[in-house]
Amino acid sequence: MALATPGGAAQPPEANTQVPMGQLAYQPGPAPDRLVVSPLADASNGFAVSWRTDANVQAPVLELAAQDDSPAFAATRRLTATTTALTAETGVAHYHQVVVDGLAADTAWLYRVQGNGRWSSWNRVVTAAGVDAPLTLLYFGDTQNKNVSHVTRVIRQAMRQAPQARLALFAGDLVSGGDGQDDIEWGEWHAAAAPLLEEVATAPAVGNHEYAELHEDTPQQIKVLGVHWPRSFALPDNGAAVVPHTSYWFDHQGVRIAVLDGTSALEHDSGAEQARWLDGVLAANTRPWTIVVVHQPLYALRTGRDNRALVTHLAPVLRRHRVDLVLQGHDHAYGRRLLDGAGSTVLVSSVAGPKQYRLSEQARASMAPVGEDTQYYQVLRIANDGLNYASYTASGRLYDQWRIARDADGSKRLIEQMDGRIAPRTCDHRAATATGRTDRCWE
């Protein structure tokens, strides 16, 4: 079905990537690309970096230098990376990872990574400060589709809104996958987010679209983790034994963040084991704030989805440890609710990409605010006395805002902040997508 334009002309719906099917782009080469900075379990102690080159590069190095105003600065450390191969439609690539630790807290560093006779730019990273230091972080729901054409503006607007952010959380489904352009999709995700990924510690949750289907349409059909995930991110190696590459925790200033694998919990029945792991992680927490990130929401926003296994296994742990906030994605709309009423865990679902679902009537009745037909990003500012949350639309308009205040006795209370919010957005003005789907607002 053609898409009508304001001038009356018609055009086909836009493709998922900017690379026509059958053509190639984002091939690995001698120059380093796809750089991602990841947090260590103690983010004040250093960081990790992953990057990609062609297969001619074996065990390259990362160089580290203290930040200096003169161009005559020199590297003070050289660290050799570990290398893993990946064969994709764009060719054979080598992915490299290295851990940079033993650094001072709250200190700016410069790093660059090596290719074949080439180096990346020198990039700036700031280690986490102490527990009492205020922290600004960014949270993005699913990016997934049309990353270059539609997600780029969201990432850039978020960075303009919060240039001081030291941490970025992604709630999964970074790419769509499964269409023969998986590596190209990953290339476009990195292209859309590169300025953020290269200098801000990035912690993603795995989504169902980061999994691949094996033996599809047979009784042996099973979801397995896609090959890009463990190569693309050098994440802390402290997760649950059942999902070692897709669960982890880390401390960043005053908050402990635990990341779960919702797809494995729902598809592979690992929810109970992940909950036991989470229980231990939170029991050992000494930070004043706790955030959990999981792709699938405990309570679905879209009609026909049921994630009760997450509620069964995770909700008791969230209650026991009085987790402050759970950040989610998956349902491609916006919704906020409390786990159990006043004083309980706040559950938020959001979407950064252009694929937009319609809300179920149950979500409309149990969540406020909700939103459709909108790309969002979120800015969280965390200090000893409060956690401030603000959700913005892609153009930077305030959509949702609230604060968890921490009183002198340690008790916490949620304070709604209504000033400046725009009116709730719905998809009532659009009956179907360009291809005729009525269960979505935009594809």
Side-chain angles (χ1 to χ4, degrees):
M1 178 182 294
L3 180 65
T5 62
Q11 61 183 20
E14 185 175 324
N16 189 38
T17 75
Q18 295 295 295
V19 181
M21 188 67 71
Q23 295 186 22
L24 290 181
Y26 304 107
Q27 295 99 320
D33 65 5
R34 302 192 186 185
L35 280 68
V36 182
V37 173
S38 299
L40 302 188
D42 177 0
S44 68
N45 188 48
F47 56 93
V49 181
S50 58
W51 72 98
R52 187 191 74 153
T53 63
D54 64 27
N56 293 315
V57 181
Q58 301 278 355
V61 302
L62 175 148
E63 289 191 339
L64 184 74
Q67 180 167 263
D68 196 323
D69 293 321
S70 169
F73 63 85
T76 57
R77 289 173 66 181
R78 288 172 60 91
L79 300 168
T80 302
T82 59
T83 297
T84 307
L86 186 152
T87 301
E89 75 273 14
T90 56
V92 180
H94 279 181
Y95 281 76
H96 317 286
Q97 297 185 356
V98 66
V99 171
V100 184
D101 58 8
L103 303 182
D106 198 20
T107 304
W109 297 90
L110 301 174
Y111 80 91
R112 67 176 183 173
V113 296
Q114 188 182 38
N116 185 5
R118 312 280 187 89
W119 290 90
S120 71
S121 61
W122 285 99
N123 302 305
R124 176 179 180 267
V125 175
V126 183
T127 54
V131 174
D132 294 330
L135 169 66
T136 299
L137 68 87
L138 300 171
Y139 148 53
F140 301 94
D142 300 26
T143 52
Q144 188 173 339
N145 301 99
K146 300 178 174 65
N147 274 300
V148 162
S149 65
H150 280 68
V151 174
T152 300
R153 66 175 185 139
V154 179
I155 301 291
R156 291 177 179 174
Q157 182 63 32
M159 295 181 71
R160 286 191 289 266
Q161 185 84 39
Q164 72 277 41
R166 293 193 184 181
L167 178 64
L169 307 176
F170 285 82
D173 279 4
L174 311 180
V175 298
S176 184
D179 62 359
Q181 288 187 302
D182 291 27
D183 196 68
I184 290 172
E185 287 190 29
W186 278 102
E188 294 209 345
W189 182 77
H190 283 274
L196 179 75
L197 305 176
E198 293 173 359
E199 296 199 337
V200 176
T202 297
V206 72
N208 54 294
H209 281 267
E210 276 76 60
Y211 273 76
E213 297 277 4
L214 284 187
H215 313 297
E216 196 168 2
D217 299 325
T218 75
Q220 291 76 40
Q221 181 172 317
I222 187 173
K223 286 185 180 291
V224 297
L225 183 64
V227 294
H228 283 84
W229 185 268
R231 293 165 172 81
S232 298
F233 306 107
L235 300 170
D237 184 20
N238 55 14
V242 69
V243 281
H245 299 298
T246 53
S247 62
Y248 57 98
W249 66 268
F250 63 96
D251 292 331
H252 202 299
Q253 297 179 196
V255 59
R256 172 160 289 190
I257 297 172
V259 180
L260 300 170
D261 185 336
T263 302
S264 177
L266 295 171
E267 298 283 342
H268 302 153
D269 198 25
S270 68
E273 187 167 343
Q274 289 194 63
R276 285 191 291 271
W277 170 81
L278 179 64
D279 194 32
V281 168
L282 298 181
N285 180 33
T286 60
R287 309 285 162 141
W289 300 96
T290 52
I291 294 175
V292 170
V293 187
V294 61
H295 177 61
Q296 289 87 348
L298 275 72
Y299 297 98
L301 283 71
R302 182 189 180 196
T303 300
R305 287 184 167 171
D306 183 355
N307 302 328
R308 70 183 69 187
L310 296 180
V311 178
T312 298
H313 296 301
L314 298 183
V317 181
L318 302 177
R319 295 185 185 104
R320 182 157 51 251
H321 297 284
R322 301 181 65 191
V323 167
D324 297 295
L325 178 60
V326 179
L327 302 177
Q328 309 157 126
H330 191 52
D331 282 347
H332 295 258
Y334 189 86
R336 169 165 64 91
R337 62 166 288 169
L338 296 171
L339 180 63
D340 296 312
S344 66
T345 301
V346 182
L347 310 175
V348 177
S349 296
S350 187
V351 56
K355 181 180 175 182
Q356 300 284 321
Y357 289 153
R358 297 177 188 273
L359 291 158
S360 69
E361 291 305 315
Q362 183 178 10
R364 294 180 189 277
S366 61
M367 300 180 186
V370 293
E372 297 172 316
D373 194 32
T374 308
Q375 293 176 258
Y376 304 91
Y377 64 90
Q378 288 69 223
V379 179
L380 281 67
R381 306 182 192 275
I382 303 173
N384 273 337
D385 63 346
L387 185 157
N388 295 280
Y389 172 103
S391 179
Y392 297 91
T393 67
S395 59
R397 296 194 294 168
L398 182 65
Y399 196 80
D400 185 17
Q401 188 171 36
W402 44 271
R403 170 181 172 84
I404 300 177
R406 187 182 186 89
D407 296 328
D409 62 359
S411 61
K412 299 174 184 178
R413 52 197 169 86
L414 189 145
I415 303 169
E416 292 282 354
Q417 297 176 329
M418 302 299 297
D419 290 348
R421 291 192 201 177
I422 66 171
R425 289 176 53 81
T426 71
C427 197
D428 296 341
H429 59 289
R430 189 177 299 123
T433 67
T435 60
R437 292 191 64 155
T438 59
D439 62 326
R440 298 182 184 180
C441 186
W442 207 82
E443 294 183 74

